[in-house]
Amino acid sequence: MYLGHWRITLGSSPQRLITFGRIYPASNFITGKIDCALFVGSRGNGKSTELNRLSELLEDHLLIVPFSIRDKLNLYDIEYSDILLIVAAEIYKNVSEYVRFSDELSKYLDTWYEKVIENERSLGLSGEVKTGFSAFVLNVTGKMKTEASTREVTRKVIQPQLSDLIYAVNKIIIEAEEKLDKNILVIIDDLDKVNLEKGEELFYKHGAELTSPICRIIYTIPQPLLFSNKIRQIVLQYFDGRIDLGNINIYNRNGQLDLGGCDLMKQVALKRMDESLISKDALNLAVKYSAGVMTEFIRIIRSAGNIADTDNRGRIDVPDVEQAIADTKNDYIRILNPQDIEILKNVMKTKGKVGGEKFQDLLFSLAILEYSNGEAWYDIHPAIKRIIK
């Protein structure tokens, strides 16, 4: 079940994904109307699913290079140069499956690699045995997530000559696109998991570098970055557009149930489990407390299922879902302080943005959720409403 609403129109053969949400013309990536885009939404609201769907829609027209940055790098210790090196490596590895590079390009890449080794040694670092660009890509990028020493050495060497790395990756892109007769689209997922400070550093201070590869590229970004005073500058200076994936409305702004949103969540559950495994009342309760966030909904169902299974019962009932909701409520009780509670009360009352930077932190933790009925509005996680009277 897909949450966004992509559309492709190519010639006389339109393809539409009829789902819940607004239409976004995926064909913009084919035509080049969009080269660099930001993709944003709440944590766990289906961004990865949507990006996978976009890849499926475009794979006949573009060479898709998708990857999760979380699989490649340590999100608690990440720099812009790390990302660019991983982008270069992923493009090289994906393109190598389809293209034999020219001798001229292969020689250039090996020469670039040799300069890297020489620079390591000139800095008194332990340069590895010369093995060529291809082996370097596999070796170094394979270690960057887990080895702090590899990250430190690579940054000291790569950052001073970053323009050379960008030039190298762009030579790869140019030759690959010419031989494949396809443009390349790089999709970088899970950068939304970094905090606001790191997001600003990456996309505000280094937006020029991150958009320097001359291929199409999509970056996920942390949702609190939308509330930074730097977001307009980031988009206007470096990116062609921003794609927002909203949460599913379970309630509307005045507190009435949104039947369309509720039905969608139920469809998601019943595509993954037989309806005999959960009572209607239990499913309805899980939907109401999901906050319209897919991972929250799945977590409630899974937790309730484990509770029922522990009691040797073959069906999830309301008490099981109630216990799962109580667990979520207790998680928030542990982390929310009196200042947070006052902000949450105001958000619940006004449905607006209050609390400055603290609002952004609460948004990141899913204590506050953003919704839209044409205009953005906010509410608090339904489990927290059991805390705030």
Side-chain angles (χ1 to χ4, degrees):
M1 177 62 64
Y2 301 109
L3 311 183
H5 203 157
W6 303 104
R7 176 182 65 195
I8 287 184
T9 304
L10 296 169
S12 59
S13 177
Q15 298 181 43
R16 294 172 184 266
L17 179 64
I18 306 302
T19 57
F20 190 84
R22 71 175 186 175
I23 294 175
Y24 189 85
S27 57
N28 282 350
F29 291 105
I30 301 171
T31 61
K33 289 181 180 178
I34 290 183
D35 283 326
C36 298
L38 299 172
F39 193 46
V40 62
S42 296
R43 290 186 302 112
N45 78 336
K47 291 186 297 298
S48 296
T49 300
E50 285 300 294
L51 289 173
N52 289 337
R53 179 55 172 161
L54 180 62
S55 296
E56 292 174 10
L57 287 173
L58 296 176
E59 63 185 2
D60 291 337
H61 311 282
L62 301 171
L63 176 63
I64 311 296
V65 181
F67 63 92
S68 163
I69 203 72
R70 185 168 56 178
D71 294 340
K72 309 294 180 181
L73 295 173
N74 183 335
L75 292 181
Y76 297 100
D77 181 15
I78 186 171
E79 300 289 341
Y80 72 99
S81 57
D82 306 344
I83 297 170
L84 283 169
L85 185 57
I86 295 298
V87 168
E90 291 301 308
I91 290 175
Y92 181 82
K93 286 188 286 186
N94 277 267
V95 167
S96 296
E97 296 180 15
Y98 304 98
V99 169
R100 183 183 183 280
F101 293 116
S102 66
D103 292 340
E104 178 186 355
L105 178 56
S106 297
K107 183 177 179 181
Y108 176 85
L109 295 175
D110 287 341
T111 300
W112 176 85
Y113 163 71
E114 289 171 3
K115 284 174 62 179
V116 169
I117 299 304
E118 289 170 7
N119 288 342
E120 281 189 18
R121 290 171 178 161
S122 69
L123 291 170
L125 305 170
S126 55
E128 58 183 65
V129 178
K130 293 183 179 181
T131 54
F133 180 84
S134 178
F136 167 77
V137 162
L138 293 172
N139 185 32
V140 173
T141 58
K143 296 177 179 178
M144 288 190 69
K145 178 176 180 177
T146 57
E147 294 185 8
S149 59
T150 298
R151 294 194 293 273
E152 182 181 357
V153 169
T154 302
R155 290 166 187 168
K156 285 181 178 179
V157 174
I158 295 294
Q159 287 184 4
Q161 56 182 51
L162 191 67
S163 60
D164 292 338
L165 172 62
I166 293 169
Y167 186 70
V169 72
N170 284 340
K171 286 180 75 71
I172 294 170
I173 292 168
I174 290 169
E175 184 165 313
E177 290 187 341
E178 182 179 323
K179 290 188 173 183
L180 291 168
D181 195 27
K182 279 185 177 182
N183 292 115
I184 294 171
L185 170 62
V186 177
I187 299 177
I188 304 172
D189 198 4
D190 287 326
L191 262 177
D192 59 304
K193 306 298 192 299
V194 302
N195 61 29
L196 174 61
E197 182 181 3
K198 178 57 68 173
E200 288 184 338
E201 177 192 320
L202 291 173
F203 292 100
Y204 181 68
K205 292 184 179 179
H206 300 290
E209 292 92 338
L210 292 176
T211 55
S212 57
I214 55 173
C215 58
R216 285 108 164 98
I217 192 163
I218 298 174
Y219 288 100
T220 53
I221 61 168
Q223 190 183 30
L225 191 57
L226 292 184
F227 303 92
S228 165
N229 58 12
K230 298 178 175 63
I231 186 62
R232 277 189 56 78
Q233 292 171 274
I234 290 170
V235 175
L236 291 174
Q237 284 187 262
Y238 307 120
F239 292 87
D240 302 311
R242 193 185 81 215
I243 306 164
D244 296 347
L245 183 63
N247 295 315
I248 298 169
N249 289 10
I250 302 302
Y251 294 91
N252 59 31
R253 188 167 184 159
N254 62 16
Q256 294 178 327
L257 276 176
D258 185 307
L259 298 181
C262 292
D263 286 344
L264 177 63
M265 298 298 276
K266 293 174 188 177
Q267 289 176 43
V268 169
L270 297 179
K271 280 182 176 292
R272 289 162 172 78
M273 63 189 298
D274 191 278
E275 61 182 333
S276 65
L277 296 175
I278 185 168
S279 71
K280 288 184 179 179
D281 288 342
L283 181 57
N284 287 334
L285 186 63
V287 168
K288 290 176 182 178
Y289 279 85
S290 69
V293 178
M294 199 56 63
T295 53
E296 286 286 283
F297 181 54
I298 292 171
R299 185 199 56 75
I300 291 172
I301 298 290
R302 182 185 296 120
S303 179
N306 288 338
I307 293 166
D309 188 57
T310 299
D311 291 343
N312 294 315
R313 288 181 285 106
R315 189 177 78 157
I316 299 169
D317 284 313
V318 168
D320 307 316
V321 175
E322 285 283 2
Q323 182 58 57
I325 294 166
D327 291 342
T328 300
K329 181 189 74 172
N330 290 334
D331 288 341
Y332 280 114
I333 287 173
R334 295 183 187 101
I335 64 173
L336 296 174
N337 59 44
Q339 182 186 359
D340 296 333
I341 296 296
E342 289 307 309
I343 292 171
L344 292 169
K345 285 180 179 178
N346 284 331
V347 170
M348 186 169 62
K349 179 180 179 180
T350 66
K351 307 302 181 188
K353 179 180 178 293
V354 295
E357 290 186 6
K358 197 65 179 173
F359 177 92
Q360 297 167 4
D361 293 338
L362 293 168
L363 193 74
F364 192 70
S365 69
L366 301 184
I368 296 174
L369 288 305
E370 181 179 281
Y371 301 97
S372 177
N373 295 109
E375 181 179 339
W377 56 278
Y378 303 90
D379 205 350
I380 69 175
H381 194 293
I384 299 175
K385 291 181 180 180
R386 293 189 169 193
I387 303 170
I388 300 175
K389 304 298 183 183

